[in-house]
């Protein structure tokens, strides 16, 4: 997003990404089976998303939910504010809670998550 000059909270972020001709590693769709973790689904479909612990104890696999719901089994690193107000979810322990979800993955670079990246 920084390279394109976009803001994560632009109302038309996904339209801009669609029109920009980004490769499928930077923009696209991901099928996730019911009960499947989002990170596992991404890996099964050939994506190389960041992760470390796979247990909800770091922010390496963090994403920001912009639309829809992601439920997390358990996590021990995010504050209530980050989850409820900022939409942060960990893809290693997160499963879709709605039929469609729009996320920005690789959010570990956000300033407020930096001290929890392994």
């Amino acid at each position: 997003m920084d390279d394109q000059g976009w803001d994560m909270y632009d109302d038309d972020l996904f339209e801009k990404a669609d029109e920009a001709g980004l490769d499928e590693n930077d923009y696209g769709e991901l099928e996730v089976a019911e009960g499947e973790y989002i990170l596992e689904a991404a890996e099964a479909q050939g994506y190389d998303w960041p992760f470390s612990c796979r247990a909800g104890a770091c922010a390496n696999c963090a994403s920001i939910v912009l639309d829809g719901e992601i439920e997390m089994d358990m996590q021990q690193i995010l504050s209530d504010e980050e989850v409820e107000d900022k939409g942060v979810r960990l893809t290693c322990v997160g499963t879709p809670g709605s039929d469609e979800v729009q996320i920005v993955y690789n959010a570990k670079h956000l300033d407020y998550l930096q001290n929890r990246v392994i």
Side-chain angles (χ1 to χ4, degrees):
M1 289 187 311
D2 290 341
D3 292 345
Q4 300 290 334
W6 301 335
D7 182 81
M8 184 172 357
Y9 300 105
D10 288 345
D11 289 337
D12 59 348
L13 176 63
F14 292 99
E15 290 83 4
K16 289 178 184 177
D18 187 42
E19 294 170 1
L22 301 172
D23 67 34
E24 64 180 33
N25 288 323
D26 293 323
Y27 173 78
E29 293 186 13
L30 179 67
E31 294 287 328
V32 182
E34 187 175 336
E36 182 178 27
Y37 292 129
I38 296 167
L39 177 61
E40 289 176 350
E43 291 173 329
Q45 293 173 51
Y47 295 99
D48 186 24
W49 285 12
F51 70 91
S52 186
C53 73
R54 292 190 184 265
C58 74
N60 287 43
C61 69
S63 67
I64 305 297
V65 178
L66 297 178
D67 190 40
E69 293 292 326
I70 292 178
E71 299 167 357
M72 290 185 289
D73 283 346
M74 60 173 236
Q75 62 85 22
Q76 44 196 323
I77 197 77
L78 302 174
S79 70
D80 290 343
E81 177 191 4
E82 290 165 336
V83 173
E84 294 167 15
D85 298 338
K86 296 182 179 181
V88 181
R89 299 296 188 279
L90 304 177
T91 61
C92 71
V93 294
T95 59
S98 56
D99 288 340
E100 292 190 23
V101 178
Q102 290 183 323
I103 65 170
V104 174
Y105 83 98
N106 202 11
K108 68 181 185 177
H109 300 293
L110 295 171
D111 290 341
Y112 58 89
L113 295 175
Q114 281 294 294
N115 64 342
R116 289 167 279 168
V117 172
I118 296 175

